[in-house]
Amino acid sequence: MIVKENFSLKKFNTFKVEVNARFYAELESAEQILELTSQKEFQKLPVLILGEGSNILFTKNYNGIVVRLISKGIKVVDENAEFVFVNAQAGESWDDLVTYCVDKEYYGIENLSLIPGTVGAAPIQNIGAYGVELKDAFVSLEGYDLDKQRKVCFSNNQCAFGYRNSIFKNALKNKFLIANVTLKLKKEKSFNLNYRAFQEFVQKKKSTEITIKEVSDLVKRIRMSKLPDPSKLGNAGSFFKNPEVDNKKFSELKKYFSDLVFFKVDEHSYKIPAGWLIEKCGFKGKKSGNVGTYNKQALVIVNLGSADGIEIVNFAEQIIQAVHTKFGIKLTPEVNII
Ligand code: FAD
Ligand code: EPU
């Protein structure tokens, strides 16, 4: 275990914001968290578990211990005629896990190709893309309850997964370290190709001829055409969640905005793409100082140079205000603001 003092986190957040952690620890194995947090020097300090920092925005130096888990390993832990159960350590790259499953033709997470970040962070907001969410393949996880200082196992139900949400963003926020995750994947070919952006591809191909590698590559191509590469332009993906509105609000919006883009969630609600709302307020590709929105996707806030967290939050506030004034909808951040 390495512990450093006054450590720069610039390399460990994809917004590329310059902040320091009072202490920074790298753990080779998850159980080292108990040893670390029981040391007298650290007992009273807040703890922040950091993955690749691709869904986090630091607004100030962190006056506590930032912990990164660097444990690696992917293995099949069980299988039957239909399913294979794959366990991955928290420090693994999420996309390496997807690539492993695609190569072995284990079906279920190919639509989640190229999402940045670690396996350990994936349950935190129940990562999702192109009609699939982590919860669809998730079986269980093991981790450490930092208050109770003990190892715990969580089933799918116990994680209380929702849209960009879980128990780890609520009752257990900053109180839990995820050590490893187990997924259940199908051995037989099975795809979710309902997403609009897949239509052209689906129409050109016979469904029996489609391969898992083709689906993964298609997802990667779509993502690269819409989303900025964090190694070139600081960002944390979608800055806000897509808001849900009830039937009454939906009818009002439809009346005033004939080109409204929407997705029906259930009998009572609709999701409106935040990117559309933001674009309609004139913010697509807009720049202000060191911050802006991406010119191909208004929902992504980008660091154009040396913005700090406060400048980014202030820009996000301007967007929240503008969308509220025009549509009466309050956007909420997806990114974890620290
Ligand atoms: P971090 O940003 O380091 O941390 C995120 C949160 O998880 C923090 O609260 C942190 O404390 C906590 N955390 C991290 N690791 C652990 C652990 N082991 N135990 C306990 N808590 C932990 N997200 C999607 O859902 N879908 C997308 O399509 C998507 N596209 C993106 C595209 C781009 C270009 C970028 C930059 C981001 C995108 N994201 C997307 C957001 C991001 O990739 C995910 O949220 C990812 O899971 C974050 O992983 P991370 O390791 O970087 O977590
Ligand atoms: N749109 C606009 N203008 C824009 C952007 C989007 O009008 O600038 C409209 C378009 O009509 C488009 C619709 O919004 O059809 C949806 O856009 P897109 O398909 O790009 O998806 P999104 O709703 O903006 C969500 C997730 C992404 C995920 C994609 C694909 C959220 C907050 N974001 O984005 O996740 O990759 O769908 O499934 O749910 C992330 O969480 O960081 C993330 C990137």
Side-chain angles (χ1 to χ4, degrees):
M1 176 174 27
I2 306 168
V3 183
K4 292 181 177 163
E5 214 172 328
N6 246 334
F7 186 83
S8 168
L9 297 175
K10 188 164 181 177
K11 276 202 300 195
F12 297 117
N13 73 94
T14 60
F15 256 124
K16 300 283 186 300
V17 162
E18 180 69 272
V19 283
N20 284 351
R22 182 162 156 202
F23 294 103
Y24 168 84
E26 241 169 49
L27 310 185
E28 292 89 30
S29 76
E31 53 269 33
Q32 287 177 333
I33 191 70
L34 301 184
E35 191 191 319
L36 178 76
T37 50
S38 59
Q39 286 179 32
K40 215 168 166 205
E41 193 182 2
F42 303 131
Q43 266 171 4
K44 293 213 164 70
L45 289 178
V47 177
L48 176 75
I49 316 292
L50 189 61
E52 286 173 15
S54 65
N55 204 24
I56 220 158
L57 175 59
F58 290 102
T59 56
K60 51 182 176 300
N61 290 333
Y62 189 74
N63 189 18
I65 326 169
V66 168
V67 174
R68 278 186 71 239
L69 201 50
I70 55 167
S71 55
K72 301 265 186 208
I74 301 175
K75 59 181 187 224
V76 171
V77 286
D78 199 4
E79 61 185 302
N80 57 35
E82 254 182 284
F83 298 106
V84 55
F85 295 80
V86 175
N87 177 275
Q89 295 298 311
E92 276 291 346
S93 136
W94 169 260
D95 193 49
D96 286 354
L97 172 60
V98 176
T99 302
Y100 170 94
C101 293
V102 168
D103 288 348
K104 303 256 183 213
E105 297 185 13
Y106 298 155
Y107 297 84
I109 54 171
E110 55 283 353
N111 291 24
L112 304 180
S113 296
L114 216 63
I115 297 182
T118 53
V119 165
I124 304 293
Q125 70 160 10
N126 176 30
I127 55 168
Y130 306 102
V132 173
E133 288 183 330
L134 176 79
K135 73 168 169 47
D136 304 329
F138 181 95
V139 177
S140 61
L141 61 79
E142 287 183 315
Y144 290 84
D145 184 316
L146 303 182
D147 280 349
K148 298 191 180 116
Q149 288 279 297
R150 62 179 169 87
K151 194 171 183 181
V152 195
C153 184
F154 272 74
S155 68
N156 190 316
N157 272 342
Q158 286 170 321
C159 291
F161 290 126
Y163 164 60
R164 298 293 190 270
N165 209 357
S166 74
I167 191 168
F168 309 106
K169 284 190 96 173
N170 294 288
L172 290 177
K173 192 175 165 77
N174 298 328
K175 290 180 181 163
F176 200 84
L177 175 141
I178 294 173
N180 63 75
V181 172
T182 301
L183 304 181
K184 179 180 170 181
L185 300 147
K186 294 192 193 82
K187 286 184 170 175
E188 203 163 289
K189 203 186 255 195
S190 157
F191 296 119
N192 180 335
L193 297 170
N194 298 325
Y195 207 79
R196 273 185 207 178
F198 294 163
Q199 287 322 301
E200 197 189 329
F201 169 79
V202 171
Q203 277 156 15
K204 275 196 204 146
K205 275 250 164 189
K206 271 198 201 147
S207 62
T208 49
E209 284 172 3
I210 297 173
T211 67
I212 190 168
K213 177 87 169 61
E214 282 173 330
V215 174
S216 172
D217 287 346
L218 173 68
V219 169
K220 288 183 189 172
R221 275 201 305 279
I222 297 172
R223 293 184 67 92
M224 286 189 287
S225 72
K226 281 192 189 179
L227 294 163
D229 174 353
S231 69
K232 300 196 175 98
L233 192 58
N235 78 92
S238 302
F239 195 90
F240 303 100
K241 294 185 201 175
N242 286 331
E244 268 180 38
V245 297
D246 61 16
N247 287 335
K248 185 165 170 275
K249 180 75 189 172
F250 174 70
S251 305
E252 259 173 49
L253 290 168
K254 209 55 198 119
K255 203 162 97 193
Y256 291 109
F257 303 96
S258 56
D259 57 342
L260 182 73
V261 180
F262 58 88
F263 305 93
K264 193 168 178 156
V265 178
D266 55 33
E267 290 313 306
H268 314 285
S269 56
Y270 290 83
K271 220 177 243 182
I272 315 290
W276 183 84
L277 297 168
I278 297 168
E279 181 172 348
K280 282 279 155 189
C281 292
F283 271 87
K284 190 169 186 169
K286 186 171 171 174
K287 293 176 185 168
S288 166
N290 292 308
V291 194
T293 55
Y294 192 50
N295 55 8
K296 295 181 194 155
Q297 170 44 290
L299 185 49
V300 179
I301 296 184
V302 292
N303 182 353
L304 298 167
S306 53
D308 62 13
I310 298 286
E311 192 175 353
I312 295 170
V313 166
N314 288 342
F315 185 70
E317 278 300 328
Q318 282 180 41
I319 292 177
I320 293 173
Q321 261 311 328
V323 168
H324 190 253
T325 305
K326 192 171 175 79
F327 296 101
I329 292 175
K330 180 122 178 28
L331 293 180
T332 52
E334 176 196 294
V335 171
N336 299 280
I337 299 170
I338 308 283

